[in-house]
Coordinates of all heavy atoms in Angstrom, one line a residue:
M205 N 68.7 253.7 152.2 CA 69.5 252.6 152.8 C 68.9 251.2 152.3 O 67.7 251.0 152.3 CB 69.3 252.7 154.4 CG 70.1 251.7 155.1 SD 70.0 251.7 156.9 CE 69.3 253.2 157.3
R206 N 69.8 250.4 152.0 CA 69.5 249.0 151.5 C 69.3 248.1 152.7 O 70.2 248.1 153.6 CB 70.5 248.5 150.6 CG 70.8 249.3 149.4 CD 72.0 248.8 148.6 NE 73.1 248.6 149.4 CZ 73.9 247.5 149.4 NH1 73.6 246.5 148.5 NH2 75.0 247.3 150.1
K207 N 68.2 247.4 152.8 CA 67.9 246.6 154.0 C 67.4 245.2 153.5 O 66.8 245.1 152.5 CB 66.9 247.2 154.9 CG 67.3 248.5 155.5 CD 66.1 249.0 156.4 CE 66.5 250.3 157.0 NZ 65.4 250.9 157.7
A208 N 67.7 244.2 154.4 CA 67.1 242.9 154.2 C 66.3 242.6 155.5 O 66.8 242.9 156.6 CB 68.2 241.8 154.0
Y209 N 65.1 242.2 155.3 CA 64.3 241.9 156.5 C 64.2 240.4 156.7 O 63.7 239.7 155.8 CB 62.9 242.4 156.3 CG 62.9 244.0 156.2 CD1 63.0 244.6 155.0 CD2 62.7 244.7 157.4 CE1 63.0 246.0 155.0 CE2 62.7 246.1 157.4 CZ 62.9 246.7 156.2 OH 62.9 248.1 156.1
G210 N 64.7 239.9 157.8 CA 64.7 238.5 158.1 C 65.9 237.7 157.5 O 66.6 238.1 156.6
I211 N 66.1 236.5 158.1 CA 67.2 235.7 157.7 C 67.2 235.2 156.3 O 68.2 235.2 155.6 CB 67.4 234.5 158.7 CG1 67.8 235.0 160.1 CG2 68.4 233.5 158.2 CD1 67.8 234.0 161.2
K212 N 66.0 234.8 155.8 CA 65.8 234.3 154.5 C 66.3 235.4 153.4 O 67.0 235.1 152.5 CB 64.4 233.9 154.2 CG 64.0 232.7 155.1 CD 64.2 231.4 154.4 CE 63.5 230.3 155.1 NZ 64.3 229.5 156.0
S213 N 65.8 236.6 153.7 CA 66.2 237.7 152.8 C 67.7 237.9 152.8 O 68.4 238.2 151.7 CB 65.5 239.0 153.2 OG 64.2 238.9 153.0
L214 N 68.3 237.8 154.0 CA 69.8 238.0 154.1 C 70.5 236.9 153.3 O 71.5 237.1 152.6 CB 70.2 238.0 155.5 CG 71.7 238.1 155.7 CD1 72.3 239.4 155.1 CD2 72.1 238.0 157.2
M215 N 70.0 235.6 153.4 CA 70.6 234.5 152.8 C 70.5 234.7 151.2 O 71.5 234.4 150.6 CB 69.8 233.2 153.1 CG 70.1 232.7 154.5 SD 69.0 231.4 155.0 CE 69.5 230.1 153.9
I216 N 69.4 235.2 150.7 CA 69.3 235.5 149.3 C 70.3 236.6 148.9 O 71.0 236.4 147.8 CB 67.9 236.0 148.9 CG1 66.9 234.8 149.1 CG2 67.8 236.5 147.5 CD1 65.4 235.2 149.1
Y217 N 70.5 237.6 149.7 CA 71.4 238.7 149.4 C 72.9 238.1 149.4 O 73.6 238.3 148.4 CB 71.3 239.8 150.3 CG 72.4 240.8 150.1 CD1 72.4 241.7 149.0 CD2 73.5 240.9 150.9 CE1 73.5 242.5 148.7 CE2 74.6 241.8 150.7 CZ 74.5 242.6 149.6 OH 75.5 243.5 149.3
L218 N 73.2 237.3 150.4 CA 74.6 236.8 150.5 C 74.9 235.9 149.4 O 76.0 235.9 148.8 CB 74.8 236.1 151.9 CG 74.8 237.0 153.1 CD1 74.8 236.2 154.4 CD2 76.0 238.0 153.0
E219 N 73.9 235.1 149.0 CA 74.1 234.2 147.8 C 74.3 235.0 146.6 O 75.2 234.6 145.7 CB 72.9 233.3 147.6 CG 73.2 232.1 146.8 CD 72.2 230.9 147.0 OE1 71.9 230.6 148.1 OE2 71.7 230.5 145.9
S220 N 73.6 236.1 146.4 CA 73.8 237.0 145.2 C 75.2 237.6 145.1 O 75.6 238.0 144.0 CB 72.7 238.0 145.2 OG 73.0 239.1 146.0
V221 N 75.9 237.7 146.3 CA 77.2 238.3 146.2 C 78.3 237.1 146.4 O 79.4 237.4 146.9 CB 77.4 239.4 147.3 CG1 76.6 240.6 146.9 CG2 77.1 238.9 148.7
N222 N 77.9 235.9 146.1 CA 78.8 234.7 146.2 C 79.3 234.5 147.6 O 80.5 234.2 147.7 CB 79.9 234.9 145.2 CG 79.4 234.8 143.8 OD1 78.5 234.0 143.5 ND2 79.8 235.7 142.9
Y223 N 78.5 234.7 148.6 CA 78.9 234.4 150.0 C 77.8 233.6 150.7 O 77.2 234.1 151.6 CB 79.3 235.6 150.7 CG 80.1 235.4 152.0 CD1 81.5 235.4 151.9 CD2 79.5 235.2 153.2 CE1 82.3 235.2 153.0 CE2 80.3 235.0 154.3 CZ 81.7 235.0 154.2 OH 82.5 234.8 155.3
P224 N 77.4 232.4 150.1 CA 76.3 231.7 150.7 C 76.6 231.2 152.1 O 77.7 230.7 152.4 CB 76.1 230.5 149.8 CG 77.4 230.3 149.1 CD 78.1 231.7 149.1
I225 N 75.6 231.4 153.0 CA 75.7 231.0 154.4 C 74.4 230.2 154.7 O 73.3 230.7 154.3 CB 75.9 232.1 155.4 CG1 77.2 232.9 155.1 CG2 75.9 231.6 156.8 CD1 77.4 234.0 156.0
K226 N 74.5 229.2 155.5 CA 73.3 228.4 155.9 C 72.6 229.2 157.0 O 73.2 229.9 157.8 CB 73.7 227.0 156.4 CG 74.3 226.1 155.4 CD 74.5 224.7 156.0 CE 74.9 223.8 154.9 NZ 76.2 223.7 154.5
E227 N 71.3 228.9 157.1 CA 70.5 229.6 158.1 C 71.0 229.4 159.5 O 71.1 230.3 160.3 CB 69.0 229.1 158.0 CG 68.1 229.8 158.9 CD 66.6 229.4 158.7 OE1 66.3 228.7 157.7 OE2 65.8 229.9 159.5
E228 N 71.4 228.2 159.8 CA 72.0 227.9 161.2 C 73.2 228.8 161.5 O 73.4 229.2 162.6 CB 72.3 226.4 161.3 CG 71.1 225.5 161.6 CD 70.3 226.0 162.7 OE1 70.8 226.2 163.8 OE2 69.0 226.1 162.6
E229 N 74.1 228.9 160.5 CA 75.3 229.8 160.7 C 74.9 231.2 161.0 O 75.5 231.8 161.8 CB 76.2 229.7 159.4 CG 76.8 228.3 159.2 CD 77.6 228.3 157.9 OE1 78.7 229.0 157.9 OE2 77.2 227.7 157.0
I230 N 73.9 231.7 160.2 CA 73.5 233.1 160.4 C 72.9 233.2 161.9 O 73.2 234.2 162.6 CB 72.4 233.5 159.4 CG1 73.1 233.6 158.0 CG2 71.8 234.9 159.7 CD1 72.2 233.8 156.8
K231 N 72.1 232.3 162.3 CA 71.5 232.3 163.6 C 72.6 232.3 164.7 O 72.5 233.1 165.7 CB 70.6 231.1 163.9 CG 69.3 231.3 163.1 CD 68.4 230.1 163.4 CE 67.0 230.3 162.6 NZ 66.2 229.1 162.8
D232 N 73.7 231.5 164.5 CA 74.8 231.5 165.4 C 75.5 232.9 165.4 O 75.9 233.4 166.5 CB 75.8 230.4 165.0 CG 75.4 229.0 165.5 OD1 74.5 228.9 166.3 OD2 76.0 228.1 165.0
L233 N 75.7 233.5 164.2 CA 76.4 234.8 164.1 C 75.5 235.8 164.9 O 76.1 236.7 165.6 CB 76.6 235.2 162.7 CG 77.6 234.4 161.9 CD1 77.5 234.6 160.4 CD2 79.0 234.7 162.4
I234 N 74.2 235.8 164.7 CA 73.3 236.7 165.4 C 73.4 236.5 166.9 O 73.6 237.5 167.7 CB 71.9 236.6 164.9 CG1 71.8 237.0 163.5 CG2 70.9 237.3 165.8 CD1 70.5 236.6 162.8
L235 N 73.3 235.3 167.3 CA 73.4 234.9 168.8 C 74.7 235.4 169.4 O 74.7 235.9 170.5 CB 73.2 233.4 168.9 CG 72.9 232.9 170.3 CD1 71.5 233.4 170.7 CD2 72.9 231.4 170.3
N236 N 75.8 235.3 168.7 CA 77.1 235.7 169.2 C 77.5 237.1 168.9 O 78.6 237.5 169.1 CB 78.1 234.7 168.7 CG 77.9 233.3 169.3 OD1 77.8 233.1 170.5 ND2 77.8 232.3 168.4
K237 N 76.5 237.9 168.3 CA 76.7 239.3 167.9 C 77.9 239.5 167.0 O 78.7 240.4 167.2 CB 76.8 240.1 169.2 CG 75.5 240.1 170.0 CD 75.7 241.0 171.2 CE 74.4 241.2 172.0 NZ 73.5 240.2 172.2
K238 N 78.0 238.5 166.0 CA 79.2 238.6 165.1 C 78.8 239.1 163.7 O 79.6 239.2 162.8 CB 79.8 237.2 165.0 CG 80.3 236.6 166.3 CD 81.7 236.2 166.2 CE 82.1 235.7 167.6 NZ 83.4 235.4 167.9
I239 N 77.5 239.4 163.6 CA 77.1 240.0 162.3 C 76.2 241.2 162.6 O 75.4 241.2 163.5 CB 76.3 238.9 161.5 CG1 76.1 239.4 160.0 CG2 75.0 238.5 162.1 CD1 75.6 238.3 159.1
P240 N 76.4 242.3 161.8 CA 75.6 243.5 162.2 C 74.1 243.3 161.9 O 73.7 242.8 160.8 CB 76.1 244.6 161.2 CG 77.0 243.9 160.3 CD 77.3 242.5 160.8
H241 N 73.2 243.6 162.9 CA 71.8 243.4 162.7 C 71.1 244.3 163.7 O 71.7 244.7 164.7 CB 71.4 241.9 162.9 CG 71.6 241.4 164.3 ND1 72.8 241.1 164.7 CD2 70.7 241.2 165.3 CE1 72.7 240.7 166.0 NE2 71.4 240.8 166.3
L242 N 69.8 244.5 163.4 CA 68.9 245.2 164.4 C 67.8 244.3 164.7 O 67.3 243.6 163.8 CB 68.4 246.5 163.7 CG 69.4 247.6 163.3 CD1 68.8 248.7 162.5 CD2 70.0 248.2 164.6
R243 N 67.3 244.4 165.9 CA 66.1 243.7 166.3 C 65.2 244.6 167.0 O 65.1 244.7 168.2 CB 66.5 242.5 167.2 CG 65.3 241.5 167.4 CD 65.7 240.5 168.4 NE 66.8 239.6 168.0 CZ 66.7 238.4 167.7 NH1 65.6 237.7 167.7 NH2 67.8 237.7 167.4
P244 N 64.4 245.5 166.2 CA 63.6 246.5 166.9 C 62.5 245.9 167.7 O 62.1 246.5 168.7 CB 63.1 247.3 165.7 CG 63.3 246.5 164.5 CD 64.4 245.5 164.8
I245 N 62.0 244.8 167.3 CA 61.0 244.0 168.1 C 61.4 242.5 168.0 O 62.1 242.1 167.1 CB 59.5 244.2 167.6 CG1 59.3 243.9 166.1 CG2 59.0 245.6 167.9 CD1 57.9 243.9 165.7
N246 N 60.9 241.8 168.9 CA 61.4 240.4 169.1 C 61.4 239.6 167.8 O 62.4 238.9 167.6 CB 60.5 239.6 170.1 CG 61.1 239.6 171.5 OD1 62.2 240.1 171.6 ND2 60.4 239.1 172.4
N247 N 60.4 239.6 167.0 CA 60.4 238.6 165.9 C 60.8 239.3 164.6 O 60.6 238.7 163.5 CB 59.0 238.1 165.7 CG 58.6 237.2 166.9 OD1 59.4 236.6 167.5 ND2 57.3 237.2 167.2
L248 N 61.4 240.5 164.6 CA 61.9 241.2 163.4 C 63.4 241.4 163.4 O 63.9 242.0 164.4 CB 61.2 242.5 163.3 CG 61.5 243.4 162.1 CD1 61.2 242.7 160.8 CD2 60.9 244.7 162.2
L249 N 64.0 240.9 162.4 CA 65.5 241.1 162.2 C 65.6 242.0 161.0 O 65.0 241.7 159.9 CB 66.2 239.8 162.0 CG 66.5 239.0 163.3 CD1 66.9 237.6 162.9 CD2 67.5 239.7 164.1
I250 N 66.4 243.0 161.1 CA 66.7 243.9 160.0 C 68.3 243.9 159.8 O 69.0 244.1 160.8 CB 66.2 245.3 160.2 CG1 64.7 245.3 160.4 CG2 66.6 246.2 159.0 CD1 64.1 246.6 160.8
F251 N 68.7 243.8 158.5 CA 70.1 243.8 158.2 C 70.3 245.0 157.3 O 69.7 245.0 156.2 CB 70.5 242.5 157.5 CG 70.3 241.3 158.4 CD1 69.1 240.6 158.3 CD2 71.3 240.9 159.3 CE1 68.9 239.4 159.0 CE2 71.0 239.7 160.1 CZ 69.9 239.0 160.0
N252 N 71.2 245.9 157.7 CA 71.5 247.0 156.8 C 72.6 246.5 155.9 O 73.7 246.1 156.3 CB 72.1 248.2 157.7 CG 72.6 249.3 156.8 OD1 73.1 249.2 155.7 ND2 72.6 250.5 157.4
L253 N 72.3 246.4 154.6 CA 73.2 245.8 153.6 C 74.5 246.5 153.4 O 75.5 245.9 153.1 CB 72.5 245.5 152.3 CG 71.3 244.6 152.4 CD1 70.6 244.4 151.0 CD2 71.6 243.2 153.0
D254 N 74.6 247.8 153.7 CA 75.8 248.5 153.7 C 76.7 248.0 154.8 O 77.9 247.7 154.6 CB 75.7 250.0 153.8 CG 74.9 250.6 152.6 OD1 75.0 250.0 151.5 OD2 74.3 251.6 152.8
H255 N 76.2 247.7 156.0 CA 76.9 247.2 157.1 C 77.3 245.7 156.8 O 78.4 245.3 157.2 CB 76.1 247.2 158.4 CG 75.9 248.6 158.9 ND1 75.0 248.9 159.9 CD2 76.3 249.8 158.4 CE1 75.0 250.2 160.1 NE2 75.7 250.8 159.2
I256 N 76.4 245.0 156.2 CA 76.7 243.6 155.8 C 77.9 243.6 154.8 O 78.8 242.7 154.9 CB 75.5 242.9 155.2 CG1 74.4 242.7 156.3 CG2 75.8 241.5 154.6 CD1 74.8 241.8 157.5
D257 N 77.9 244.5 153.8 CA 79.0 244.6 152.9 C 80.3 244.8 153.6 O 81.3 244.2 153.3 CB 78.8 245.6 151.8 CG 77.7 245.3 150.8 OD1 77.3 244.1 150.8 OD2 77.2 246.2 150.2
G258 N 80.3 245.7 154.6 CA 81.5 245.9 155.4 C 81.9 244.7 156.2 O 83.1 244.3 156.2
W259 N 81.0 244.0 156.7 CA 81.2 242.8 157.5 C 81.8 241.7 156.5 O 82.8 241.0 156.9 CB 79.9 242.3 158.1 CG 80.0 240.9 158.8 CD1 80.5 240.7 160.0 CD2 79.6 239.7 158.2 NE1 80.4 239.3 160.3 CE2 79.9 238.7 159.2 CE3 79.1 239.3 157.0 CZ2 79.6 237.3 159.0 CZ3 78.8 237.9 156.8 CH2 79.1 237.0 157.8
L260 N 81.3 241.6 155.3 CA 81.8 240.7 154.3 C 83.3 241.0 154.0 O 84.1 240.1 153.9 CB 81.0 240.7 153.0 CG 79.7 240.0 153.0 CD1 78.9 240.3 151.8 CD2 79.8 238.5 153.2
S261 N 83.6 242.3 153.8 CA 85.0 242.6 153.6 C 85.9 242.2 154.7 O 87.0 241.7 154.5 CB 85.1 244.2 153.4 OG 84.4 244.6 152.3
D262 N 85.4 242.3 155.9 CA 86.2 241.9 157.1 C 86.4 240.4 157.1 O 87.5 239.9 157.4 CB 85.5 242.3 158.4 CG 85.6 243.8 158.7 OD1 86.4 244.5 158.0 OD2 84.8 244.2 159.6
Q263 N 85.3 239.6 156.7 CA 85.4 238.2 156.7 C 86.4 237.7 155.6 O 87.1 236.8 155.9 CB 84.0 237.6 156.3 CG 82.9 237.9 157.3 CD 83.3 237.6 158.7 OE1 83.6 236.4 159.1 NE2 83.3 238.6 159.6
Q264 N 86.4 238.4 154.5 CA 87.3 238.0 153.4 C 88.7 238.4 153.7 O 89.6 237.7 153.2 CB 86.8 238.5 152.1 CG 85.5 237.8 151.7 CD 84.6 238.5 150.7 OE1 84.8 239.7 150.4 NE2 83.7 237.8 150.1
S265 N 89.0 239.4 154.4 CA 90.4 239.8 154.7 C 90.9 239.1 156.0 O 92.1 239.0 156.2 CB 90.5 241.3 154.8 OG 89.7 241.8 155.9
N266 N 90.0 238.6 156.8 CA 90.4 237.8 158.0 C 89.7 236.5 158.1 O 88.8 236.3 158.9 CB 90.1 238.6 159.3 CG 90.7 240.0 159.3 OD1 91.9 240.1 159.0 ND2 89.9 241.0 159.7
P267 N 90.1 235.5 157.3 CA 89.3 234.3 157.2 C 89.4 233.5 158.5 O 90.3 233.6 159.3 CB 90.0 233.5 156.1 CG 91.2 234.2 155.7 CD 91.2 235.5 156.4

């Protein structure tokens, strides 16, 4: 399973697939539960990149 650990890693991944998002936007998406993520412990965010790819497809088909 492909994973990104933390917001910075996710930002790098999203930029690599031509979908750059600012850190504040990602924090808002997490807060509003609009982006798939796991938070197994308080200070750790994990993003399953397969789920992120699905989320990206949804974003691009429903702008």
